[in-house]
Amino acid sequence: MRRHEFQPGRLIAGLVLLAAGVLYLLDAAGETDLPWFAVVPMAMGGLTLAGLVGMTTYAVRRDRRDRISESSER
């Protein structure tokens, strides 16, 4: 498999949704008593954070590509 770019936004989204899934599994197993309104904001906040991190990562990488292409044109 070829190496690919590290994408921190996707990592954050995956970890947040994994945590939400684990919390729901614990609730279904009877280990915790978790109201639905505790997990939904956590998941939405995590997805929002992941989106912001993804946009920031994209902007930084685009800026680097632009700088490299400008320096190679000169």
Side-chain angles (χ1 to χ4, degrees):
M1 182 175 176
R2 290 183 10 208
R3 292 188 61 125
H4 58 277
E5 290 182 331
F6 174 64
Q7 297 178 343
R10 289 186 180 190
L11 175 66
I12 291 172
L15 290 175
V16 167
L17 292 176
L18 180 67
V22 166
L23 287 174
Y24 270 123
L25 281 174
L26 288 173
D27 186 40
E31 298 294 322
T32 61
D33 185 27
L34 188 68
W36 68 270
F37 54 85
V39 176
V40 172
M42 182 189 78
M44 295 306 295
L47 290 176
T48 302
L49 177 65
L52 290 173
V53 169
M55 287 189 300
T56 304
T57 303
Y58 175 75
V60 168
R61 288 183 179 163
R62 185 182 63 192
D63 186 48
R64 279 192 196 155
R65 281 194 304 262
D66 291 346
R67 286 186 196 173
I68 291 171
S69 65
E70 285 177 3
S71 65
S72 66
E73 289 175 359
R74 293 181 185 182

